[in-house]
Amino acid sequence: MMPETFPAASPASGGLHPAIYRIMLVLAAWFVIAAWGFSDGGHIALDLAMMTALVIVIVGIPVLSWRIWRNQGHAGDAGAEPGSLKQWSAREFQIWNGRTTGADAMVEILTPLFAGALGLTAFAIVFRLVS
């Protein structure tokens, strides 16, 4: 899919709306909970504990980095107050090879996370029904 073209003079945001980060956290938690659906108390519990720790680290590092950045006084930078998610999604979003809409960027970012969590949930349900 080709990104939409926008006038060169219009400002584009390169930052995500805070609600998208919250959605990403919820999807990561959903993924971990769905993975624990495979646990039957055996040796897999150790593997799932390690996977849970890995997801916590993967999510925790960007969250801590963002909190440090915000506490250093950068929260007042231009673009730090994006307004509502609906307003943000209607604006332009800067990507590495051009611009796209915020809504398209949000869909492209959240789709793999949602598909992974939903797929793992479906596998866990089938696993429970079969075993």
Side-chain angles (χ1 to χ4, degrees), residues 38-90:
F38 290 98
S39 178
D40 59 357
H43 293 290
I44 197 167
L46 179 60
D47 296 336
L48 290 171
M50 293 306 298
M51 187 269 314
T52 302
L54 182 64
V55 169
I56 289 171
V57 169
I58 289 170
V59 169
I61 290 174
V63 168
L64 289 175
S65 297
W66 172 75
R67 288 181 58 95
I68 291 169
W69 176 81
R70 185 187 66 180
N71 290 336
Q72 294 296 322
H74 297 286
D77 289 347
E81 297 297 328
S84 72
L85 182 60
K86 184 176 181 179
Q87 292 171 340
W88 179 89
S89 65

Side-chain angles (χ1 to χ4, degrees), residues 1-59:
M1 176 165 74
M2 296 291 294
E4 295 182 30
T5 57
F6 296 98
S10 62
S13 170
L16 296 176
H17 191 276
I20 295 175
Y21 289 111
R22 290 185 202 105
I23 294 168
M24 290 168 64
L25 288 172
V26 168
L27 291 173
W30 179 11
F31 185 86
V32 168
I33 292 167
W36 276 94
F38 290 98
S39 178
D40 59 357
H43 293 290
I44 197 167
L46 179 60
D47 296 336
L48 290 171
M50 293 306 298
M51 187 269 314
T52 302
L54 182 64
V55 169
I56 289 171
V57 169
I58 289 170
V59 169

Side-chain angles (χ1 to χ4, degrees), residues 31 34-35 37-38 115-131:
F31 185 86
F38 290 98
L118 184 65
L120 197 56
T121 301
F123 282 134
I125 290 170
V126 170
F127 176 76
R128 288 290 172 193
L129 292 175
V130 171
S131 63

